[in-house]
Amino acid sequence: MKALVLSGGAGTRLRPLTHTSAKQLVPVANKPVLFYGLEAIADAGITEVGIVVGDTADEIMQAVGDGSKFGLTVTYIPQDAPLGLAHAVIIARDFLADDDFVMYLGDNFIVGGISSLVDAFRAQRPAAQILLTQVPDPRQFGVAEFGADGRVTGLEEKPKAPKSDLALVGVYLFTPAVHEAVRAITPSWRGELEITHALQWLIDQQRDVRSTTISGYWKDTGNVGDMLEVNRSVLEHTEPHIEGDVDDTSEIIGRVQIDEGARVSGSRIVGPAVIGTGSVIAGSYVGPFTSISHDCRITDSEIEFSIVLDGSSVRGARRVEASIIGRNVEVTPAPRVPAAHRLILGDHSKVQISS
């Protein structure tokens, strides 16, 4: 069995971060989201992985390499434009050959991995196996419809009037039957070849399409709120581990990880939280559910429920919360005189100012 990992999307909902970085590499608890998926694939006993890449191919390839650090052998499959999940299956045909495969969206996060799902699929081998989960607003997802026997009878992409509250999770398992399906469909109104249409074709052809409703934690990390929520979920399982330097005037409370080379002085850190290698926390408060990446500086500030990426600094900030701060960013107080805000913002930025 092989795996097809999709990492070619533009990540428009995470702008401006994704203007300069692949959305799949935005870190959760100081590890890229994509890495959690690759680890789950390896844990399921799959070793051959094709990664579909787009405009951020170089960055993805540099981060993942040949896959050996995950116990995988990786093949990169370029996609000229994000033309839909079914299109990704079409361009991966040579790599997939006639093997069964799991298709995994690289920006999705599933607690508990996929090993049991893969084992069940290997044993039963339906034409397709889809994962579903209850969501509060199904209109944002592909949604399943069921018959009286409890089997899936229909799938609709982002419906205006959803027929259930069960949405497709970004993990799919297929036999080679899907190759006929993806070539039988036409582009949707979005101009994309939708995997939901391919699955519907299989259903209409009386092929065996099964569903599993998962009760565990799942998130599509496509926006800031979801990224922070996944970060919170992962940090919940952080074990206390201090390898960096913490002085006698600092207080460390709860599940806090301080990596080697990090320094904490005159500060209070309340876990769960993680402080990356080379970062300096001085005269500050770092609150729960905060990930500080590598080579950051937090000085005379308070920060909580946030993600700070490599090389950034927060100095003299009275309170920062529910924020994602990109790489090599400087956050400082505005001058007191004149009483004005000075902003240098890129496209698609969002700023909230206390008046």
Side-chain angles (χ1 to χ4, degrees):
M1 193 169 183
K2 293 176 180 174
L4 185 65
V5 178
L6 275 56
S7 296
T12 54
R13 292 178 294 158
L14 273 174
R15 288 176 178 169
L17 286 174
T18 49
H19 279 308
T20 55
S21 178
K23 65 177 179 177
Q24 297 85 5
L25 296 181
V26 176
V28 169
N30 287 0
K31 182 164 66 176
V33 171
L34 175 61
F35 288 12
Y36 291 96
L38 294 176
E39 289 169 355
I41 288 166
D43 289 343
I46 298 171
T47 58
E48 293 184 72
V49 178
I51 301 182
V52 176
V53 292
D55 292 341
T56 58
D58 290 345
E59 190 178 7
I60 297 288
M61 293 169 70
Q62 183 177 1
V64 177
D66 62 3
S68 57
K69 63 185 175 183
F70 304 98
L72 304 171
T73 300
V74 169
T75 299
Y76 292 98
I77 303 165
Q79 186 180 34
D80 294 337
L83 297 176
L85 305 188
H87 178 260
V89 175
I90 291 174
I91 65 172
R93 183 68 173 92
D94 289 344
F95 166 75
L96 295 169
D98 289 325
D99 293 311
D100 296 349
F101 67 98
V102 56
M103 184 167 72
Y104 198 116
L105 274 58
D107 60 351
N108 274 228
F109 186 89
I110 300 176
V111 169
I114 60 172
S115 296
S116 61
L117 299 164
V118 169
D119 289 344
F121 179 81
R122 279 175 164 147
Q124 301 167 5
R125 293 195 73 238
Q129 180 88 28
I130 60 176
L131 273 61
L132 303 171
T133 191
Q134 285 186 311
V135 294
D137 186 3
R139 293 173 300 174
Q140 303 300 314
F141 303 93
V143 177
E145 180 183 359
F146 299 88
D149 60 357
R151 296 178 68 88
V152 176
T153 58
L155 294 161
E156 189 174 4
E157 188 69 30
K158 296 180 174 61
K160 294 181 179 179
K163 295 177 181 177
S164 78
D165 63 352
L166 289 172
L168 284 161
V169 172
V171 177
Y172 309 79
L173 299 108
F174 294 111
T175 65
V178 73
H179 296 301
E180 185 180 2
V182 296
R183 293 192 176 278
I185 62 174
T186 57
S188 68
W189 62 270
R190 300 194 301 171
E192 297 186 4
L193 291 173
E194 310 283 1
I195 200 65
T196 47
H197 291 180
L199 288 162
Q200 186 66 57
W201 186 90
L202 289 171
I203 293 170
D204 293 342
Q205 297 295 314
Q206 306 300 312
R207 304 292 182 91
D208 187 6
V209 176
R210 302 185 187 183
S211 65
T212 299
T213 301
I214 62 172
S215 56
Y217 187 86
W218 166 79
K219 275 290 183 182
D220 168 6
T221 60
N223 60 50
V224 170
D226 286 340
M227 283 295 305
L228 290 171
E229 180 59 22
V230 171
N231 190 63
R232 182 202 64 76
S233 176
V234 174
L235 289 177
E236 285 277 19
H237 302 283
T238 298
E239 294 295 330
H241 188 68
I242 298 177
E243 292 186 348
D245 297 326
V246 179
D247 74 358
D248 294 338
T249 64
S250 296
E251 186 178 14
I252 309 297
I253 301 172
R255 300 187 302 278
V256 176
Q257 177 181 316
I258 301 176
D259 292 341
E260 184 177 2
R263 292 184 288 123
V264 179
S265 63
S267 298
R268 187 170 186 255
I269 302 179
V270 180
V274 58
I275 311 297
T277 301
S279 289
V280 177
I281 314 297
S284 296
Y285 166 77
V286 177
F289 311 119
T290 301
S291 297
I292 309 294
S293 194
H294 309 297
D295 301 314
C296 297
R297 295 189 69 92
I298 311 296
T299 307
D300 298 327
S301 299
E302 297 182 8
I303 185 167
E304 184 171 312
F305 189 53
S306 294
I307 299 173
V308 182
L309 275 62
D310 299 353
S312 291
S313 64
V314 180
R315 302 195 309 270
R318 182 176 58 187
R319 183 74 174 179
V320 176
E321 63 181 24
S323 301
I324 299 181
I325 298 173
R327 295 174 176 84
N328 303 308
V329 170
E330 295 183 9
V331 178
T332 60
R336 295 182 180 275
V337 179
H341 299 289
R342 183 171 181 267
L343 307 175
I344 303 174
L345 304 173
D347 296 346
H348 305 284
S349 294
K350 180 179 180 181
V351 175
Q352 294 178 319
I353 295 174
S354 298
S355 56

